[in-house]
Amino acid sequence: MSQEEINVALLGFGTVGTGVYKVMQRQKPEMMQKLDVSLNIRYILVRNVQRHMDKVEDPEILVTSFDSILADPGIDIVIELMGGIEPAYTYIKSALEAGKSVVTANKDLIAERGGELIQLAEENHVELRFEAAVAGGIPIISPLLNSLAANEIRSIMGIVNGTTNYILSKMTDEGMDYQEALAQATKLGYAEADPTADVEGHDAGRKIAIMATIAFHSRVTFKDVYTEGITKITAKDIAYAKALGWVIKLIALARNTREGIEVKVHPMLLPETHPLSSVGGSYNAVYVDGDAVEDVMFYGKGAGEMPTASAVMGDVFSVARRIKDHCQGSTRDYVYRNIPIKRVENTRSAYYVRMRVENKPGVLATIASIFGNNSVSIEQVIQKNKIENDAELVIITSNVKERHIKDALLILESSSVVRGKATMIRVY
Ligand code: HSE
């Protein structure tokens, strides 16, 4: 006999939790049609019941203890939207062990302990889904696991942080400097009071770790990801990039190469014609290269109440269908390879180098020979003689090993012809 109702518990009632509640309310009749089962929110775990009373039709569903949810055998799906590692980890673990499926939007937890939780779901014959943990409303986890399963994924390139994309877009479109664009992002609520996780690339790093694990079937955690944020990008670099036909984006990149997995987050100069270059404002996009499909791009809203609720509810629907059809327990650990992680020094790229140099005969030759002695070939040089008696040089290198460009820069910065530190940005 088929189950007539599926009951869920929400853990957390912040922005995304509120969105999930709203979607559940407005989709109720449709959900009956789509699932042929009644999907009900039985509990919402909150810290302070009073604060949320007027947000729900039935205040009885607001509870402050997880134990009552765990002990209720009628709860089929736990939707975790609290974020952070604890107590989210303990709650999810206990729910899975109690035979309840879990849907979560928690990227920090999945990027750090996803493998362990997936195995736990598998052992307990329940589901663990986390579409909303990567790029908010954009479907990417399910496409990587299902629609693109026939591919050997070669690379994933994403703009997966809306805050930094908003800041860089403002700098590009309106000539703002970093501080001004950050201040505007904060005022409009795009950037958090402490923007570190976004602007230093940590948020994007967690998302690319999750995507790389699924795409390459080999465990990649956040600590494997090389991260470099956007705080050192200046209006000047954006202007040079524009003059050269490029835009600067914070790119999360994962490549499966013969020497191992390359996984990093850093600013990158992209040709204006690249599909990711036109992803502006707070939008996100993920560009996947698979051996059969070739290039495919996913684009949309990477955060926000309703877009993220859309991803959460998609997972809830899919789990509810499985429960209804009595085939719960499809979660399998997709990791069956053990590919080493490539050190960033061994990755290759072209580079943009901007430096202030002494303006006198022989300087260019000295700089060129330092690059040459370190196996770095130069593709393009732009010189401007604007800063007092010094010149500003922008050099674009050919595709070289990161350790070679870093060695060359160390020597250049300690030489008498280069003033201060050089700016180095990777080029697509
Ligand atoms: N802070 C993220 C962003 C959204 O700016 O895109 C949540 O991952």
Side-chain angles (χ1 to χ4, degrees), residues 107 133 135-136 160-164 190 192 198 203 207 282 284 302-304:
K107 68 177 163 295
V160 287
N161 183 268
T163 307
T164 47
Y190 288 122
E192 292 181 33
D198 292 319
D203 173 78
K207 292 167 181 166
S282 62
N284 282 197

Side-chain angles (χ1 to χ4, degrees), residues 288-416:
V288 180
D289 176 26
D291 66 344
V293 72
E294 298 183 6
D295 299 336
V296 54
M297 187 159 105
F298 302 82
Y299 171 85
K301 292 210 162 129
E305 179 184 280
M306 297 310 270
T308 312
S310 160
V312 170
M313 284 309 294
D315 279 348
V316 171
F317 264 56
S318 141
V319 174
R321 274 201 191 103
R322 296 210 146 258
I323 295 175
K324 189 182 163 275
D325 297 342
H326 301 286
C327 53
Q328 199 182 189
S330 65
T331 298
R332 297 275 172 278
D333 192 0
Y334 30 76
V335 167
Y336 51 82
R337 292 177 181 153
N338 189 8
I339 310 173
I341 304 290
K342 204 168 168 183
R343 288 171 57 86
V344 72
E345 283 71 22
N346 294 329
T347 63
R348 298 181 73 91
S349 181
Y351 296 86
Y352 159 106
V353 179
R354 178 172 60 81
M355 53 196 157
R356 184 169 164 170
V357 301
E358 204 181 349
N359 194 12
K360 67 168 196 196
V363 167
L364 202 52
T366 307
I367 290 171
S369 76
I370 293 174
F371 274 124
N373 291 341
N374 285 281
S375 314
V376 177
S377 174
I378 294 170
E379 290 273 316
Q380 212 175 333
V381 180
I382 301 164
Q383 180 176 343
K384 289 203 171 169
N385 300 319
K386 272 196 179 155
I387 321 160
E388 294 150 19
N389 292 325
D390 291 342
E392 184 162 64
L393 272 188
V394 169
I395 292 179
I396 311 296
T397 74
S398 54
N399 194 43
V400 299
K401 257 199 180 163
E402 180 130 342
R403 101 177 119 81
H404 290 146
I405 185 88
K406 282 187 173 157
D407 286 348
L409 289 184
L410 270 182
I411 299 169
L412 281 165
E413 284 166 355
S414 60
S415 79
S416 60

Side-chain angles (χ1 to χ4, degrees), residues 3-241:
Q3 195 161 334
E4 281 165 7
E5 59 172 34
I6 288 173
N7 297 314
V8 309
L10 269 183
L11 312 186
F13 205 26
T15 309
V16 181
T18 308
V20 167
Y21 182 81
K22 285 184 192 165
V23 174
M24 287 275 235
Q25 295 299 99
R26 79 179 186 201
Q27 274 272 316
K28 202 138 184 94
E30 282 289 309
M31 285 190 305
M32 264 314 268
Q33 296 285 330
K34 287 175 184 161
L35 293 170
D36 195 22
V37 69
S38 162
L39 198 57
N40 313 306
I41 300 186
R42 283 278 179 258
Y43 301 98
I44 303 180
L45 180 70
V46 294
R47 265 201 221 113
N48 181 337
V49 169
Q50 286 304 325
R51 263 190 56 202
H52 300 282
M53 294 278 265
D54 52 0
K55 280 164 63 183
V56 289
E57 267 175 20
D58 173 13
E60 292 278 293
I61 65 173
L62 299 170
V63 295
T64 53
S65 154
F66 177 67
D67 294 343
S68 46
I69 298 172
L70 192 63
D72 186 340
I75 294 299
D76 305 288
I77 308 173
V78 169
I79 308 175
E80 185 276 310
L81 303 170
M82 299 182 304
I85 303 294
E86 281 296 356
Y89 168 77
T90 305
Y91 290 175
I92 292 179
K93 185 170 182 281
S94 333
L96 295 171
E97 285 169 345
K100 301 178 192 306
S101 285
V102 173
V103 172
T104 175
N106 194 329
K107 68 177 163 295
D108 298 32
L109 183 57
I110 296 297
E112 200 174 307
R113 307 189 77 164
E116 185 189 328
L117 292 174
I118 285 156
Q119 281 167 13
L120 205 57
E122 187 175 345
E123 280 162 30
N124 288 283
H125 311 290
V126 286
E127 312 283 333
L128 174 68
R129 303 287 170 92
F130 46 87
E131 183 63 74
V134 178
I138 304 176
I140 183 65
I141 303 300
S142 177
L144 284 173
L145 279 171
N146 304 304
S147 330
L148 298 174
N151 286 265
E152 196 61 56
I153 304 292
R154 295 183 284 222
S155 70
I156 299 177
M157 240 177 115
I159 294 176
V160 287
N161 183 268
T163 307
T164 47
N165 202 44
Y166 176 86
I167 294 172
L168 291 174
S169 297
K170 281 281 159 193
M171 292 173 74
T172 305
D173 301 340
E174 297 174 32
M176 287 184 187
D177 68 18
Y178 170 74
Q179 286 303 340
E180 196 184 352
L182 172 64
Q184 197 174 107
T186 311
K187 201 169 130 205
L188 293 173
Y190 288 122
E192 292 181 33
D194 177 2
T196 314
D198 292 319
V199 300
E200 295 297 353
H202 303 162
D203 173 78
R206 294 190 171 96
K207 292 167 181 166
I208 195 71
I210 297 172
M211 290 190 283
T213 302
I214 295 170
F216 307 144
H217 306 284
S218 185
R219 192 82 61 215
V220 178
T221 63
F222 175 55
K223 66 174 176 17
D224 297 319
V225 185
Y226 171 82
T227 55
E228 198 179 294
I230 62 163
T231 56
K232 294 191 188 78
I233 301 294
T234 63
K236 203 179 232 183
D237 297 312
I238 302 246
Y240 273 118

